[in-house]
Amino acid sequence: MTCYYSIQNVFSKKLLSNDERTYSPVELQFYASIASVIIQLPFWIFYMGPPLFAYKKSTYNLTVFLVNGLMFHLQSITAYNLMSLISPVTHSVANTVKRALLIWLSVLIFGNQVTQLSAIGTILVIFGVFLYNQARQVEQAVAISNAQHMPLMEDETKTSLV
């Protein structure tokens, strides 16, 4: 799944920052949703078929589905807005932190048990974010150092003409 999300982040970033045609986050969400419906509809009909329509319909279920859909839409729009501002790698790191936070929120709110695997996963996420931040700081320091040591092109042309 992580590979899928990483590929999606890269392609979404390309669509959000394309030179020829830049899509807004709302447009990207719209077209992604249309494509998703077209792809999923045959599977939905094949696997769920007519019995799907026989389920008991209630106001509560309808309300829960609508709220779920609204929250998913807002989450997607927020993700696309964030992605338009940062790199796909930074977005993936933030998404990983979000997932670890959701696991721990489920522990706190719903009383889910903390397994050894979830504890190890959280430690790995924190360590990975730490390493990512360290790498970003080193990269920024190198870029600043290179920029300070690069001669200005304008100065070079003036001295060569004199």
Side-chain angles (χ1 to χ4, degrees), residues 55-130:
Y55 291 128
K56 181 181 175 188
K57 295 163 185 71
S58 71
T59 306
Y60 174 77
N61 286 346
L62 181 62
T63 304
V64 170
F65 278 124
L66 289 175
V67 169
N68 182 43
L70 176 66
M71 292 299 124
F72 180 76
H73 175 72
L74 293 175
Q75 176 191 357
S76 297
I77 293 296
T78 303
Y80 289 135
N81 276 320
L82 182 63
M83 197 178 304
S84 69
L85 301 173
I86 61 177
S87 75
V89 174
T90 303
H91 186 270
S92 293
V93 170
N95 199 24
T96 303
V97 171
K98 177 191 81 172
R99 289 166 195 245
L101 180 64
L102 287 174
I103 290 170
W104 284 97
L105 283 174
S106 75
V107 168
L108 294 173
I109 293 172
F110 301 116
N112 294 343
Q113 286 187 331
V114 179
T115 64
Q116 221 175 9
L117 192 59
S118 64
I120 291 170
T122 301
I123 291 168
L124 285 175
V125 166
I126 292 169
F127 185 65
V129 169
F130 172 76

Side-chain angles (χ1 to χ4, degrees), residues 4 28-46 72:
Y4 162 77
L28 196 56
Q29 172 65 18
F30 173 76
Y31 290 124
S33 296
I34 294 296
S36 179
V37 166
I38 291 170
I39 291 169
Q40 290 180 17
L41 193 60
F43 293 102
W44 180 60
I45 292 170
F46 179 75
F72 180 76

Side-chain angles (χ1 to χ4, degrees), residues 150-157:
M150 289 182 64
L152 295 174
M153 296 299 246
E154 188 176 310
D155 287 346
E156 287 180 339
T157 57

Side-chain angles (χ1 to χ4, degrees), residues 4 10 13 18 23 34 59 77 103 107 134 138 140 146:
Y4 162 77
V10 169
K13 180 67 175 184
N18 192 350
Y23 292 91
I34 294 296
T59 306
I77 293 296
I103 290 170
V107 168
Q134 292 297 317
V138 168
Q140 289 173 350
N146 288 341

